[in-house]
Amino acid sequence: MCTGTSRGASSAGAHAAHAASPRGEAAYRNSRDIDPQNRTTLLNLGTNLIAQNKGSEAAEILDRVVKIQDIPLHRNRYGDALAKPGRYAEASEQYQKALALHAKYYP
């Protein structure tokens, strides 16, 4: 018998494994092609690219996400993408903007 907890845990594990894989990247790109303005798809694609050390490409995508919806999570993830290739000053700026949107924001 499968409980909601174990099913949720395995689902979360599968999502985490998929999040940093080329297969996951391909799935998010396909989804983006269907709906190019879907911020959740773009956020997931950007996160996937960060996990694959593709920070510059992720930054381009996450810049679009911030333009669609400017919230602390999106600013923080954009900062993470900028930090990957060593763009620390720009990353810091995004982290500060996340805090400006919500002073108690903690990722």
Side-chain angles (χ1 to χ4, degrees):
M1 181 173 171
C2 183
T3 66
T5 304
S6 65
R7 192 164 125 213
S10 65
S11 176
H15 177 72
H18 197 61
S21 73
R23 248 180 68 208
E25 177 185 347
Y28 294 131
R29 287 185 188 282
N30 287 337
S31 182
R32 181 200 55 192
D33 291 345
I34 294 167
D35 184 359
Q37 296 301 311
N38 185 308
R39 68 180 182 270
T40 302
T41 296
L42 294 171
L43 180 66
N44 289 339
L45 176 57
T47 301
N48 175 284
L49 293 168
I50 291 168
Q52 293 186 74
N53 293 315
K54 297 179 180 179
S56 294
E57 188 176 354
E60 290 177 28
I61 290 165
L62 292 163
D63 179 53
R64 287 179 44 206
V65 173
V66 167
K67 289 175 181 168
I68 294 169
Q69 185 183 35
D70 193 1
I71 62 172
L73 171 65
H74 298 164
R75 289 282 178 181
N76 186 69
R77 201 61 51 83
Y78 185 25
D80 293 344
L82 292 165
K84 256 318 177 190
R87 295 166 59 184
Y88 302 118
E90 293 169 270
S92 178
E93 181 181 335
Q94 294 307 313
Y95 298 141
Q96 291 301 317
K97 287 181 178 183
L99 289 171
L101 290 169
H102 189 286
K104 294 184 179 184
Y105 176 70
Y106 182 78

